[in-house]
Amino acid sequence: MNRDDMISRQLLQLAHRIKQRRNLHIKNLNLTTEQGDALRYFAEHSHQTIAMFKDYQGITHQTARVIVQHMVTAGVVKLVPNPDDGRSKLVVVTSLGATKYDQLDQHGWKTSAELFAGFTPEEQQQFLALARRANANLEGK
């Protein structure tokens, strides 16, 4: 087996292509990659704080706060009082943010459709199952 046949090399190339497309889609929405990730998080997880986002992303509180503050300035999210804890605020996606999230989601589905062109539904499920197993094998190592 030569270097180009290594499965890890093929997966790295695939991941790179997917990430390039994702970053281009996010850029077209006038967001940074970090803001796109944050938008996805807050759109898919309601009633979350900046601290919860920080923990999820494994970043510092300062970094998370700056990302969210830029998103507030852009009108993509807003901060509202946390009824359960007066010391923190909840991050809520605005209607503009919901529109951008929907566009980002559609771009993701388009990339998936292009990725799996010519695959049968069974092959798609096999690919997904194998990718999950491979990720699980390397998780935490």
Side-chain angles (χ1 to χ4, degrees):
M1 178 182 305
N2 66 37
R3 182 176 173 90
D4 289 336
D5 293 334
M6 290 177 54
I7 187 72
S8 59
R9 179 151 173 77
Q10 290 298 313
L11 290 174
L12 284 172
Q13 288 175 340
L14 177 60
H16 180 71
R17 286 189 180 103
I18 291 169
K19 188 173 180 179
Q20 280 181 315
R21 285 175 179 248
R22 172 184 156 269
N23 291 348
L24 180 62
H25 296 318
I26 290 172
K27 184 178 178 184
N28 288 340
L29 296 174
N30 294 318
L31 298 171
T32 65
T33 305
E34 293 81 10
Q35 291 167 352
D37 291 341
L39 178 59
R40 181 169 297 284
Y41 174 79
F42 290 117
E44 294 175 358
H45 304 90
S46 61
H47 299 91
Q48 299 294 298
T49 64
I50 293 172
M52 293 169 174
F53 172 64
K54 165 198 73 97
D55 293 340
Y56 179 80
Q57 288 293 96
I59 58 178
T60 66
H61 190 272
Q62 176 68 16
T63 299
R65 191 182 61 72
V66 169
I67 292 168
V68 171
Q69 191 55 53
H70 282 116
M71 294 173 70
V72 168
T73 301
V76 178
V77 298
K78 63 182 178 179
L79 299 174
V80 299
N82 185 346
D84 300 326
D85 183 354
R87 298 169 296 164
S88 66
K89 296 190 182 281
L90 299 176
V91 181
V92 177
V93 176
T94 64
S95 60
L96 174 62
T99 298
K100 288 182 182 275
Y101 170 77
D102 289 341
Q103 291 170 324
L104 189 59
D105 197 47
Q106 287 304 312
H107 289 304
W109 284 110
K110 181 180 177 199
T111 298
S112 289
E114 292 170 358
L115 172 67
F116 288 117
F119 282 56
T120 66
E122 293 79 22
E123 289 171 328
Q124 291 178 30
Q125 289 303 312
Q126 284 178 323
F127 185 91
L128 179 60
L130 292 171
R132 284 180 175 154
R133 275 179 53 197
N135 274 321
N137 287 344
L138 297 178
E139 196 171 291
K141 291 188 178 181

